[in-house]
């Protein structure tokens, strides 16, 4: 796996990180196609002048990660930031779980204003840099605090660069999320996880025809069966230690029974009925940085309220029972 590849592929499928904030995601008669056109700037240790896309310098305290615990793509960045111990280096602004047609908003903060950026909507940081920004207002986003301008919202590169470019600021003993000895295989695993699972649930949920849904459903469960088998004899996706691949899979598994099984019609089985995946998900949930950044109520609020073409009533279900997430997983024996 090259340090120059963040791995999530383009054009595989509008997304709940805010590419479409209207609540309309399903196109009648069509398969779901994710818009992966993000602001490509990067924050790097040694920026090159005149680089295309632009490069910004790593500077502790300069940037604010704006995210939402409801969104799986943003949840990745929140988890990685804590795993690497970057809490004192990059501040965190949290948007509420329910956005409107314009933007993610800071409903969780006093008076609905982000205390560092001084804005009510993430949209204001996008417009500070691009007054006529034509695309969706997405999380996660890295914002330059001095100017209030968005730097990048390219979520695969954000977590990639938190590891590679901010290494001097990692906490002692921070996990090696991109181990060199398995990086080539990890690249292949993350690619399949993204296309078939992370994005696969959306292809099911936002399918505009029976044929599109059937194809998406079959693809998703082929991949989940592969993962169930893979995790039968290894504790994590790449072996005995946590990697970026595990972070990327976890955020989908955490939402599976609460949202994807019913809301997105991914209902062959529940996660709790897949013994290896369920044990693996609990193992990660009970690892510092994962469960503490997983908010099931915000997750349900986001999907069931915002995605009105899938759930026009906006009724949020009370279930499922979440008590199992803290039960023993028994996977320590695998490494």
């Amino acid at each position: 796996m090259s340090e120059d590849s963040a791995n999530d592929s383009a054009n595989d499928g509008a997304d709940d990180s805010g590419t479409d904030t209207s609540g309309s995601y399903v196109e009648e008669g069509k398969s779901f196609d994710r818009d992966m056109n993000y602001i490509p700037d990067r924050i790097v240790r040694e920026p090159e002048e005149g680089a295309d896309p632009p490069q910004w310098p790593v500077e502790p305290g300069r940037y604010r990660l704006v995210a939402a615990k409801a969104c799986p793509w943003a949840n990745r960045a929140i988890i990685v930031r804590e795993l690497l111990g970057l809490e004192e280096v990059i501040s965190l602004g949290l948007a509420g779980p329910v956005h409107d047609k314009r933007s993610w908003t800071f409903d969780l903060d006093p008076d609905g204003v982000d205390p560092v950026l001084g804005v009510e909507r993430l949209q204001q940081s996008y417009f500070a840099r691009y007054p006529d920004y034509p695309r969706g207002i997405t999380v996660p986003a890295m914002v330059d605090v001095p100017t209030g301008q968005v730097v990048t919202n390219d979520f695969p590169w954000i977590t990639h660069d938190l590891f590679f470019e901010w290494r001097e600021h990692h906490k002692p003993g921070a996990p090696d999320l991109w181990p060199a000895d398995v990086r080539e295989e990890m690249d292949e695993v993350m690619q399949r996880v993204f296309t078939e699972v992370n994005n696969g649930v959306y292809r099911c949920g936002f399918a505009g025809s029976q044929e599109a849904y059937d194809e998406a459903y079959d693809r998703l469960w082929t991949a989940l069966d592969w993962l169930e088998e893979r995790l039968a004899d290894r504790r994590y996706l790449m072996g005995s230690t946590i990697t970026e691949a595990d972070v990327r899979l976890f955020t989908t598994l955490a939402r599976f029974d609460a949202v994807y099984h019913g809301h997105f019609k991914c209902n062959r089985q529940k996660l709790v009925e897949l013994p290896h995946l369920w044990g693996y998900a609990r193992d990660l949930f009970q690892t510092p940085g994962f469960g503490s950044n997983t908010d099931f109520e915000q997750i349900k609020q986001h999907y069931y309220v915002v995605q009105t073409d899938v759930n026009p009533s906006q009724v949020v279900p009370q279930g499922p029972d979440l008590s199992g997430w803290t039960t023993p997983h028994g996977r320590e024996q695998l490494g």
Side-chain angles (χ1 to χ4, degrees):
M1 173 68 191
S2 165
E3 290 189 17
D4 295 326
S5 174
N7 197 314
D8 285 342
S9 66
N11 301 322
D12 190 68
D15 83 57
D16 72 330
S17 62
T19 298
D20 182 350
T21 52
S22 67
S24 178
Y25 300 86
V26 179
E27 291 189 68
E28 186 175 353
K30 295 184 178 181
S31 299
F32 172 66
D33 182 34
R34 180 172 301 283
D35 182 353
M36 289 288 289
N37 190 348
Y38 295 102
I39 301 169
D41 296 33
R42 293 177 60 196
I43 300 171
V44 299
R45 283 173 292 179
E46 299 179 0
E48 298 179 9
E49 187 174 352
D52 185 19
Q55 296 179 350
W56 301 60
V58 166
E59 291 183 17
R62 176 172 176 176
Y63 304 101
R64 187 160 178 81
L65 171 63
V66 177
K69 289 185 177 181
C71 167
W73 319 104
N75 207 179
R76 289 183 182 185
I78 299 171
I79 292 170
V80 168
R81 170 180 172 270
E82 182 168 334
L83 290 177
L84 299 178
L86 294 171
E87 296 98 319
E88 301 302 317
V89 180
I90 301 170
S91 66
L92 176 64
L94 289 174
V98 180
H99 56 66
D100 59 19
K101 294 181 179 181
R102 291 170 55 193
S103 172
W104 291 87
T105 53
F106 296 100
D107 306 331
L108 305 177
D109 292 307
D111 300 320
V113 175
D114 180 90
V116 172
L117 300 175
V119 297
E120 297 178 346
R121 297 174 174 275
L122 180 56
Q123 182 186 55
Q124 292 168 260
S125 292
Y126 278 71
F127 287 174
R129 185 172 177 196
Y130 302 106
D132 56 351
Y133 187 72
R135 311 189 70 80
I137 308 302
T138 70
V139 290
M142 295 289 280
V143 178
D144 180 46
V145 173
T147 63
Q149 297 181 355
V150 66
V151 174
T152 180
N153 61 345
D154 198 341
F155 66 89
W157 280 109
I158 287 175
T159 53
H160 173 281
D161 289 344
L162 288 180
F163 179 76
F164 285 107
E165 303 298 332
W166 291 81
R167 273 182 163 173
E168 295 178 6
H169 307 284
H170 291 180
K171 67 182 180 183
D176 183 358
L177 297 180
W178 297 75
D181 60 335
V182 297
R183 206 170 293 164
E184 184 174 352
E185 182 187 6
M186 189 170 117
D187 183 31
E188 297 172 358
V189 169
M190 291 197 301
Q191 182 70 18
R192 188 171 183 183
V193 166
F194 173 70
T195 58
E196 304 304 301
V197 181
N198 299 148
N199 198 46
V201 294
Y202 287 90
R203 276 199 302 269
C204 290
F206 296 154
S209 71
Q210 187 68 50
E211 293 75 16
Y213 166 74
D214 290 344
E215 179 185 3
Y217 180 94
D218 290 342
R219 285 179 61 178
L220 170 66
W221 282 104
T222 295
L224 288 173
D225 286 341
W226 163 69
L227 288 166
E228 176 72 3
E229 181 178 355
R230 182 179 181 89
L231 290 164
D233 59 359
R234 65 183 79 199
R235 186 168 182 181
Y236 305 112
L237 283 176
M238 304 312 302
S240 60
T241 60
I242 291 172
T243 66
E244 170 93 8
D246 297 300
V247 177
R248 295 183 179 199
L249 177 57
F250 173 79
T251 57
T252 294
L253 296 182
R255 288 156 177 76
F256 200 86
D257 287 1
V259 175
Y260 302 145
H261 179 270
H263 183 62
F264 277 180
K265 309 178 187 71
C266 303
N267 60 353
R268 193 191 79 180
Q269 290 165 276
K270 296 178 181 177
L271 176 64
V272 298
E273 297 166 349
L274 301 166
H276 302 308
L277 275 166
W278 176 224
Y280 163 82
R282 300 201 315 276
D283 190 359
L284 290 175
F285 181 84
Q286 294 168 33
T287 299
F290 286 85
S292 59
N293 289 309
T294 302
D295 190 314
F296 292 109
E297 287 307 311
Q298 287 195 36
I299 288 168
K300 291 193 296 183
Q301 285 285 330
H302 173 70
Y303 285 90
Y304 286 101
V305 173
V306 172
Q307 294 167 1
T308 53
D309 54 353
V310 181
N311 185 44
S313 71
Q314 298 181 295
V315 171
V316 180
Q318 293 191 39
D321 179 7
L322 302 171
S323 60
W325 281 95
T326 56
T327 59
H329 52 77
R331 292 184 62 83
E332 300 91 346
Q333 61 185 335
L334 297 176

